[in-house]
Amino acid sequence: MNPEVLDVAVIGAGVGGIAAGAMLRDLGASFAIFDKGTTVGGTWRDNTYPGCACDVPSHLYSLSFAQNPEWSRSYPAQPEIESYLERVTDELGLRPRIHFGVEILAIRWEDQTLLWDIEFRDGTHRSARSVIMATGPLSRPSLPAIEGIETFAGTMFHSARWDHEHDLCGERVAVIGTGASAVQFVPEIAPVVEHLTVFQRSAPWVLPRDDRPAPPWRQRLYRRVPFLQRLHRWRVYARQELLAVAFIGRGRAAAAVSERIRTEVRAQIDAAISDPELRAACLPDYEPGCKRLLIANSWYSTLARPDVDLCTRPIRAITPTGVRTADGDEIEVDTIILGTGFSASDYPGPLRITGRAGLELADRWRTGAATDLGISVDGFPNLYLLAGPSTGLGHNSIIFMIEAQLHHIRGALVHQRRHGLRATTVRSDRVGAFYEEIQRRLGRTVWTTGCSSWYRSAAGQVDTLWPGTTVEYWWRTRRFRPDRHEVVEPDSGPVAAGR
Ligand code: NAP
């Protein structure tokens, strides 16, 4: 690989990596984007299960500077989103900057050179002044620790690694999990398989999805008058943002939204299901929004099919031939599909990140993933996180957050350039104050009302989510604040020779 020192290395070529590339290109920085896959798209490349689509309308779930008048419907399917990201990559001229098929094992801050050393799986290294982590929170499928899982003799795969070679036609299939992915693929596979058993640990709140095809006249209109598309985008944004009321407060407005969701979901269940036992099993026993609210149109009607069983008995083990429940019953199946989600809250993930004086990020975050604005960590100079801790959302587009973060990072890079600084690090007191504020505010949100979800870490605290509106986040990230950062000078030790 080219030994030239990069201004910025971007890790990941999903939405965040592409948006970072656009920002760095405009800035005239020397940069490279590294991704272990073979194409761009991140989670939109990896999740190809039947029915995969975004639960935020695409006129909003898209980059503000690369609007697409051609969206075929309100909630386009995964292939359309992936093609959009491919096209944007080409239009921005980013492809030559992306190194595919390269896995980064570790990044290490060098106190003498003030550079990040990036170590690749093939043993090579590269140096960069700054690193932007765009690895995404939903990139690592979570495999359940169920006894005997390795003994299953049939076919088993995770929804994020769908086996398209495997024909489910006429098979007995078990699905484990009833989250955002399962509610999308279960209705797609139910008509194909011979029998489907859905294992539900906790019932999701599922609202209808207002998904309509885009009439050709509207696509033409948006092509000719982009302003009208922007207007529509802002309308969708405002509607989504209003949902925050239900999540981030516990006042009368939150109670009213929560009651509306309960009424709507009950009506959906009653309309689709006649069996009182199944109806009761579909009704969640926790606050709407505590786990992610789901939207799907045929979830409840699929569970009501005669060839679909909803099994709420806990799973005790997986055997060579099927799934054994806690009461000792064994349900024999040919295929098991794991809709068990992602390891989204075990920060910092498998990539080893070593900061100043050999400080490991995993150690720094042992008691909680503390950052400033979800972007910077003290002791890790010139390291910037996208969609990092404390910035996930339950109600709006994460791309909005990513763009706000990139605007802030751009401010940091411009500040360094303007003042001839080689490295800065956020002050520890800022990080402490921000984390303390986030945890305090999270205590008043729906996410801490007592359910378990991927929002929570193994230790129980919510390190994933932003407890405010996206407007507030935009406001707080709109300027890089030099007074909250310290200049980092090279260590007095000898400058490492070689690389
Ligand atoms: P998820 O929402 O975390 O759901 C995982 C499901 O697996 C839950 O029902 C969970 O039960 C169950 N589960 C996990 N371990 C289990 C075990 N050992 N035994 C039995 N059940 C188990 O995962 P996901 O559906 O893949 O979605 C993850 C996130 O991806 C979403 O929240 C969303 O942010 C994103 N996503 C988005 C879209 C979209 O449209 N934008 C689509 C798909 C995914 P419990 O609830 O009881 O823990």
Side-chain angles (χ1 to χ4, degrees):
M1 252 180 221
N2 184 350
E4 164 215 352
V5 173
L6 295 162
D7 286 338
V8 185
V10 180
I11 307 182
V15 180
I18 295 168
M23 182 274 279
L24 294 167
R25 195 201 58 164
D26 287 351
L27 206 59
S30 77
F31 70 95
I33 302 172
F34 302 99
D35 196 293
K36 60 180 181 222
T38 51
T39 55
V40 298
T43 196
W44 295 109
R45 170 199 63 211
D46 295 341
N47 284 271
T48 60
Y49 59 77
C52 181
C54 186
D55 56 11
V56 176
S58 289
H59 280 294
L60 175 60
Y61 190 88
S62 43
L63 295 158
S64 63
F65 53 86
Q67 288 298 288
N68 173 26
E70 315 298 336
W71 292 119
S72 66
R73 49 196 315 117
S74 343
Y75 295 92
Q78 171 269 338
E80 197 174 337
I81 300 173
E82 193 185 9
S83 312
Y84 162 77
L85 294 173
E86 290 276 1
R87 190 165 49 70
V88 170
T89 303
D90 287 328
E91 284 172 5
L92 294 171
L94 293 178
R95 212 167 283 275
R97 311 284 197 129
I98 306 178
H99 301 263
F100 289 113
V102 285
E103 190 180 349
I104 294 172
L105 294 183
I107 61 171
R108 204 169 295 105
W109 176 254
E110 294 181 336
D111 290 311
Q112 288 85 31
T113 60
L114 301 188
L115 295 175
W116 282 99
D117 171 56
I118 302 164
E119 181 190 347
F120 297 92
R121 181 169 287 286
D122 67 2
T124 57
H125 290 253
R126 189 88 195 254
S127 294
R129 291 182 186 87
S130 300
V131 172
I132 296 179
M133 295 291 296
T135 44
L138 304 175
S139 55
R140 286 170 291 124
S142 162
L143 303 177
I146 300 175
E147 185 192 317
I149 192 165
E150 69 293 344
T151 66
F152 184 62
T155 304
M156 176 155 55
F157 53 86
H158 188 279
S159 59
R161 301 286 180 270
W162 197 271
D163 182 354
H164 291 279
E165 299 297 306
H166 183 75
D167 188 3
L168 295 171
C169 199
E171 286 203 328
R172 298 162 305 166
V173 175
V175 168
I176 301 180
T178 52
S181 303
V183 300
Q184 293 185 335
F185 71 75
V186 163
E188 299 291 321
I189 63 170
V192 174
V193 304
E194 182 198 299
H195 191 272
L196 185 61
T197 308
V198 178
F199 288 89
Q200 172 182 279
R201 196 164 59 177
S202 26
W205 289 100
V206 186
L207 288 163
R209 182 167 68 167
D210 184 17
D211 185 21
R212 300 157 198 236
W217 62 262
R218 190 181 300 153
Q219 292 171 325
R220 271 200 308 277
L221 189 66
Y222 286 167
R223 233 176 282 142
R224 287 194 195 138
V225 194
F227 169 72
L228 290 180
Q229 187 181 8
R230 291 213 163 263
L231 217 56
H232 176 64
R233 179 180 165 91
W234 282 112
R235 196 175 70 91
V236 178
Y237 171 78
R239 199 183 58 203
Q240 298 287 137
E241 191 70 342
L242 274 180
L243 255 183
V245 170
F247 299 153
I248 62 177
R250 295 219 179 134
R252 286 232 301 274
V257 178
S258 169
E259 195 43 46
R260 241 186 105 180
I261 295 171
R262 285 172 193 278
T263 309
E264 175 71 44
V265 170
R266 266 194 219 108
Q268 296 288 322
I269 293 173
D270 291 351
I273 300 172
S274 53
D275 174 9
E277 225 174 283
L278 182 57
R279 275 185 181 174
C282 287
L283 208 57
D285 59 0
Y286 54 89
E287 283 291 311
C290 185
K291 294 175 195 278
R292 193 177 173 89
L293 277 184
L294 307 183
I295 53 168
N297 288 333
S298 37
W299 173 246
Y300 296 122
S301 57
T302 300
L303 296 182
R305 287 174 66 109
D307 49 2
V308 175
D309 282 334
L310 181 70
C311 181
T312 55
R313 289 168 287 160
I315 297 172
R316 182 194 291 163
I318 291 178
T319 67
T321 50
V323 181
R324 182 173 306 135
T325 50
D327 54 11
D329 198 12
E330 179 164 341
I331 295 148
E332 292 196 350
V333 291
D334 306 301
T335 295
I336 298 176
I337 304 173
L338 304 171
T340 44
F342 301 87
S343 304
S345 55
D346 59 343
Y347 295 111
L351 197 154
R352 190 166 173 195
I353 301 176
T354 313
R356 293 178 85 179
L359 176 65
E360 297 285 338
L361 189 55
D363 289 332
R364 173 68 184 81
W365 280 353
R366 204 158 294 287
T367 52
T371 63
D372 184 39
L373 299 169
I375 301 172
S376 315
V377 192
D378 48 329
F380 296 81
N382 295 0
L383 177 71
Y384 306 103
L385 313 175
L386 293 184
S390 312
T391 66
L393 298 176
H395 72 288
N396 213 328
S397 170
I398 192 67
I399 298 182
F400 181 93
M401 301 294 271
I402 288 172
E403 288 196 39
Q405 287 153 9
L406 283 168
H407 181 74
H408 188 86
I409 296 166
R410 181 193 170 97
L413 297 174
V414 167
H415 176 79
Q416 287 189 2
R417 189 188 276 179
R418 194 171 290 152
H419 297 275
L421 306 175
R422 289 168 64 192
T424 53
T425 184
V426 67
R427 284 185 359 227
S428 296
D429 60 326
R430 281 301 314 160
V431 172
F434 182 76
Y435 191 67
E436 193 273 326
E437 176 206 333
I438 295 295
Q439 291 303 314
R440 182 170 35 78
R441 289 176 61 184
L442 279 165
R444 298 195 297 262
T445 67
V446 70
W447 303 301
T448 51
T449 51
C451 69
S452 70
S453 74
W454 65 262
Y455 296 155
R456 283 173 178 264
S457 69
Q461 78 263 29
V462 177
D463 280 345
T464 43
L465 295 176
W466 169 247
T469 62
T470 62
V471 173
E472 182 197 340
Y473 189 75
W474 163 78
W475 179 256
R476 290 177 66 169
T477 51
R478 77 197 185 288
R479 269 189 309 127
F480 173 74
R481 299 274 304 264
D483 55 315
R484 295 181 177 175
H485 294 75
E486 290 162 356
V487 175
V488 177
E489 301 288 355
D491 249 18
S492 46
V495 174
R499 241 188 358 251

